[in-house]
Amino acid sequence: MTTFDEKLVSVLGKKSADALESGLGLTTVGDLLRHYPRRYDERGELTEIKGLELGEHATVQARVKSARQRRMKSRSGELLEAVITDGSSDLHLVFFGRGSRTVERELLPGREAMFAGKVGMFNGKLQLAHPDYQVLDERDDGSVADFAGAFIPVYPAAQGIQSWNVSNCVEQVLALWDGVAEDPLPAELRAERGLVDLEKALRDIHRPDGWAAITVAQQRLKWDEAMAVQLALAQRRRSATARPAPACPPRPGLVRDAFDDRLPFELTAGQREVGERVSADLSAEQPMNRLLQGEVGSGKAQPLDALVLTPGGFVAMGDLRVGDEVITRDGTPTEVTGVFPQGEREVFRVVLSDGKAVECDLEHLWATHDGEVRTLREIRDDLLRDDGPSRWRLPMVVAPDVDCVELAPVKERHELLQGLLGTGGACDGVDVVFRTESENLAEYVSELAESLGGTGVVGYGYERHEVLVRLPEEFPPFRDALDRTAPPVRYIERVEFVGVKPVQCISVDHPSRLYVTDHFVVTHNTMVALRAMLQVVDAGRQAAMLAPTEVLAAQHARSLRELLGDLGQAGELGGAEHATRVTLLTGSMPTAQRKKALLEIVTGEAGVVVGTHALIQDKVEFHDLGLVVVDEQHRFGVEQRAALSGRAGGSTPHVLVMTATPIPRTVAMTVYGDLEVSALRELPQGRSPISTSVVPMAEKPAWLDRAWQRIREEVDKGHQVYVVCPRIGDGEAEDPSGDEPPKDDTSDRRPPLAVVDVAQRLAEGPLRGLRVDVLHGRMPSDDKDAVMRAFAGNEIQVLVATTVVEVGVNVPNATVMVIMDADRFGVSQLHQLRGRVGRGSAPGLCLLVTEMPEGTATMARLRAVESTLDGFELAQLDLELRREGDILGAAQSGTRSGLKMLSLLRDEDVIAEARVVATQVVDTDPELAAHPGLASLVAGLLDEERAEYLEKA
């Protein structure tokens, strides 16, 4: 009798069983039958080649386009070069040695075959080197039908065992398999959901007689996996009450209240809402497990009496509130999303060539004639360097210069109208048509036109409104009636110091960003996390913040201490009455500092502990850990987070994980029921724009030369640059030459570029004369801090680094991020890395350098990153490209998913329904004692290692 638990060796023999075990990890009949086809090919329908991924083991059905035998150039022997096609894209094949003559006789042009091998790259083109193949159209003995039939099931394969080998093994097993003794899903559930029994589903998934049979089988098998996961999660949620979390309700009059009273800005609506949810979670004994998504925002500082243009006229900066509308430089209205009083700061007067003057601080942003956005600091410094006439021209009237329609002089009203028409107006004979989404702005333009003796007829639409403007001859609608690109007539003459005045920042949700600057204000994730930690500290417990790198941990510790001031100086001279202490612990700290930090942690003297993986070590003991905050949670394995969570003695600490870029496993675990999600999305626009471009080195090598030239241009402007490489390296292997791949590989792809080598090449080559330095994780802690301080102080112009700069590094003056071998990074990493630029007033530029050819899945991923800055959209993209990751194991990528049929993207409805059913079952039968079939389903799909992982998650 052949059952699920039967060893494959007894059914297939040692040779096949060993191949399945070593290549795919399959050892039993059940393992093989749960190894489902990844797709089905039909005879005559070819596989899409452009979707292949470099490095994957692929099986493709394609037509032979050409095959040519020739002698190798660099060594003796022959090779066969072949090209196969799917009708639109080509894939190159190469076969070595004497056997290539046999291949040439079989792979005749026009023949279709199945090809299997590892996708490599040679001379910039994707190829399979010495692939296995099976011709489909020349065999008459019926053996093709053994693995094909009406459909050709294509299985996940590996080196040494191809898809058709797996198919043959499945065929043998199905012939001997005795079926399922008892279906694990209850009959009533199958009837209610219209699911077929398990035996039919498994037979049809491997040997279907049509697409309908495949669909029905897939639906049943998805339910098996969804129920296994949801039952395990439901049991986990139920058992959580057995080990409660420490309740940490707010306590008035202590550190958090004192901190809130001192905030120099208002919390955003999103921060208040999320903060209330987190506070409620912390107050309960149910362990919090919440994911917080968002990015850091910032504001634009102007004096309180500075006038800001709104759809209703000009309003003083100090009178603006969240929800008010302002007009951006492109003439469109947008809402104020945050208001941040900044206290008193130095204010300067900008004197213009027409005699007007505008006051603002040095971080105030100006749109200039060159189409860029610059801070007053940049303009002032340039004026001080250059004694000649000012080159800083203004393309349009700046809002704070003028007063409202009723009070402004005619000249100023005309200039304002010209500026607005220049953003949204088009000539129509003698008239100008101005289009806008704002009804108030349309009416404002009309009023301006009529105040000058002209007409402004407003046509109201559903989403957009039009104003037909006609002006007297002495008032041309544009600065030059014939040439709207003519240089404006106003210059910035000089910048004068006024004195210290109260200033305020606002942030707006608009791509123009001219109401946003580089003044760094901690107003997003970090603020929510800090307030949560202070609530725990007020309850007499400790909070730990886990950061992925020492650079980020040190920055968090400094930032928290600066924010807390004397509230973070417990036991120190000048500390506040109800103060706490922030303690940093990293792996490379000197012994004396480390011992002091460990003592502060174990005694409870440290209320807030910040550290890296060092916090997970057994030597670290907490006095009473109540909250764990994990920053950039995708950088930590579940086991690492679980180790820290287990330090709370008899209770389970609350957990708050934070990320600006959700990754596939995060998104998947959220939907599968592991995490509650909160998102802060209204402030990511509080940053300067970042443009991203792919630099295809193989196809356009001149573009890389231009990239280094662009870096020089940015440095000449006083800015700084990051260059990121995949590895540290002590040297780089030489690129293979000639046209044959190296003997020990199937690809001529060189090793990843290394920081040490790239820094030397740049310093001696295209960036000669610039101050270039390196940063990587193996450097001593003091050296890393010294480099970061030097970079922050503009002593280093080009920093060549590994992904140690991926998160948390804040240098607003850095404007360019060059990512070498960008194809070797994931979507989330690329998004995080480019977030290091565009943090200041000047726009950011991210260059993704790659040798990948167009048309590959890898290049498609890079192009997608190039096309959007939305981290949530990129998380979805990453999910589509890499799948969910191993939901039931430690793997973060989608290549070894324990769930082989269930997809987060396609099966959210199945997951949601299974969650409801599983919760009902576990509520009545926590141990599944009355449901042995379901218990066996969980045990079958969740082995001991994965079950343990799920418990830790």
Side-chain angles (χ1 to χ4, degrees), residues 28 51 142 252 451 546 702 796:
T28 67
S451 76
L546 194 61
I796 297 171

Side-chain angles (χ1 to χ4, degrees), residues 243-248 251 282 532-533 535-544 580 598-609 620-628 644-654:
R243 194 179 184 207
C248 301
R251 296 184 61 188
L282 294 174
M533 289 191 287
Q535 179 173 328
V536 171
V537 169
D538 286 344
R541 306 184 190 278
Q542 292 169 291
T580 186
L598 289 172
L599 184 61
E600 292 175 353
I601 295 170
V602 73
T603 61
E605 188 177 349
V608 177
V609 183
V620 182
E621 294 184 15
F622 287 86
H623 177 70
D624 191 352
L625 183 60
L627 170 66
V628 176
L644 187 55
S645 296
R647 298 300 169 82
S651 62
T652 300
H654 299 284

Side-chain angles (χ1 to χ4, degrees), residues 161 167 370-371 487 563 662 676 741:
I161 183 161
S167 185
D370 57 6
L563 285 167
E676 297 294 331

Side-chain angles (χ1 to χ4, degrees), residues 708 710-723 762-763 767-774 787-800 811 813-818 837:
W708 305 132
R710 184 77 172 81
I711 284 178
R712 283 191 171 276
E713 293 170 2
E714 286 297 307
V715 172
D716 288 343
K717 295 177 184 177
H719 297 310
Q720 294 161 273
V721 177
Y722 296 99
V723 177
L762 293 178
L767 302 185
R768 184 184 297 108
L770 302 186
R771 298 189 297 274
V772 180
D773 210 334
V774 301
V787 170
M788 281 309 304
R789 283 195 298 270
F791 189 60
N794 205 0
E795 298 170 19
I796 297 171
Q797 295 169 316
V798 179
L799 184 63
V800 185
V811 180
N813 193 48
T815 56
V816 179
M817 166 70 66
V818 180
V837 298

Side-chain angles (χ1 to χ4, degrees), residues 620-756:
V620 182
E621 294 184 15
F622 287 86
H623 177 70
D624 191 352
L625 183 60
L627 170 66
V628 176
V629 177
V630 183
D631 192 22
E632 295 305 334
Q633 68 98 24
H634 65 277
R635 298 290 295 273
F636 291 95
V638 173
E639 290 83 356
Q640 294 169 319
R641 298 197 300 269
L644 187 55
S645 296
R647 298 300 169 82
S651 62
T652 300
H654 299 284
V655 176
L656 178 67
V657 295
M658 306 190 301
T659 181
T661 312
I663 63 167
R665 207 195 70 82
T666 305
V667 180
M669 289 304 288
T670 297
V671 175
Y672 283 100
D674 183 65
L675 297 171
E676 297 294 331
V677 180
S678 297
L680 296 171
R681 299 192 64 167
E682 74 271 29
L683 282 183
Q685 283 78 11
R687 301 269 296 277
S688 294
I690 304 172
S691 61
T692 305
S693 296
V694 174
V695 179
M697 280 198 303
E699 299 173 10
K700 298 179 180 179
W703 284 29
L704 185 59
D705 297 334
R706 173 62 184 130
W708 305 132
Q709 182 183 349
R710 184 77 172 81
I711 284 178
R712 283 191 171 276
E713 293 170 2
E714 286 297 307
V715 172
D716 288 343
K717 295 177 184 177
H719 297 310
Q720 294 161 273
V721 177
Y722 296 99
V723 177
V724 173
C725 302
R727 66 185 180 103
I728 300 171
D730 300 313
E732 185 180 30
E734 293 295 321
D735 288 341
S737 57
D739 60 355
E740 284 80 35
K743 295 179 182 180
D744 58 348
D745 199 358
T746 61
S747 171
D748 69 345
R749 197 181 190 198
R750 55 164 173 72
L753 292 174
V755 166
V756 176

Side-chain angles (χ1 to χ4, degrees), residues 819-835:
I819 304 177
M820 307 300 295
D821 285 345
D823 49 276
R824 299 179 189 260
F825 297 90
V827 169
S828 298
Q829 274 190 311
L830 294 174
H831 182 58
Q832 284 285 355
L833 285 167
R834 70 175 168 189

